[in-house]
Amino acid sequence: MDPEKQKIESETRTHDNSYSKISSSSPKKSQTQLLIFIFYASLAIALLILFLPRQNVNGCPVPAFLFASHPSMFHALVFSVMLSFAAASSGLLIGINSQRQHATIQKCYFVISVVSLASALSILACASFLEIFKLVCSGIKL
């Protein structure tokens, strides 16, 4: 085989390997950044829930303006925020070790945190929609 061809092929292989190393580390970094965002977002939602004015509905303290008529939605929101916070923090703690044997566990925590934060935001959107709908319908005389 021609030495020039061998040199070109070896350079191509080296370049391809370096590209695959870069592309394989990029999703890991973006996954970690998303876990950090989910961690802070769930922490912010939890602190917001803590400082909202409350009203007792059936013996349970519930935020007065969004969840007064739907206390079970508030409980689902709190559960999903707690789950997203716990999964994000666990995923970040496992990611510190960055061993290959823990990669699947970290991915599971990542998926759990994403799904639970999405469900928390959808619960919040649903409660807002119901409250807006109730306000619009109360203003209309039938």
Side-chain angles (χ1 to χ4, degrees):
M1 205 167 165
D2 189 25
E4 287 291 320
K5 252 186 180 179
Q6 286 179 346
K7 184 178 177 185
I8 291 172
E9 285 180 10
S10 68
E11 287 176 3
T12 305
R13 277 192 225 122
T14 308
H15 180 67
D16 289 343
N17 287 342
S18 65
Y19 177 72
S20 66
K21 287 178 186 175
I22 291 171
S23 66
S24 67
S25 66
S26 179
K28 175 98 170 143
K29 186 177 180 182
S30 64
Q31 181 178 349
T32 304
Q33 289 175 344
L34 194 56
L35 277 173
I36 291 171
F37 172 76
I38 291 171
F39 177 79
Y40 284 125
S42 59
L43 183 65
I45 292 172
L47 288 175
L48 184 74
I49 289 172
L50 254 166
F51 293 118
L52 289 176
R54 299 183 183 272
Q55 169 185 355
N56 278 336
V57 176
N58 297 332
C60 297
V62 175
F65 65 94
L66 264 184
F67 298 100
S69 57
H70 308 287
S72 60
M73 288 179 71
F74 174 68
H75 295 195
L77 174 75
V78 169
F79 178 76
S80 60
V81 167
M82 286 174 42
L83 186 62
S84 69
F85 179 79
S89 60
S90 298
L92 287 171
L93 287 174
I94 287 177
I96 290 171
N97 217 354
S98 76
Q99 294 177 354
R100 288 191 157 202
Q101 61 186 356
H102 300 300
T104 56
I105 296 171
Q106 186 182 14
K107 284 182 185 178
C108 289
Y109 281 132
F110 174 73
V111 169
I112 291 170
S113 65
V114 167
V115 168
S116 59
L117 186 65
S119 66
L121 292 176
S122 65
I123 290 168
L124 232 136
C126 183
S128 301
F129 173 75
L130 289 174
E131 190 67 26
I132 290 170
F133 188 71
K134 186 173 78 173
L135 289 174
V136 167
C137 288
S138 66
I140 298 173
K141 302 286 183 185
L142 295 177

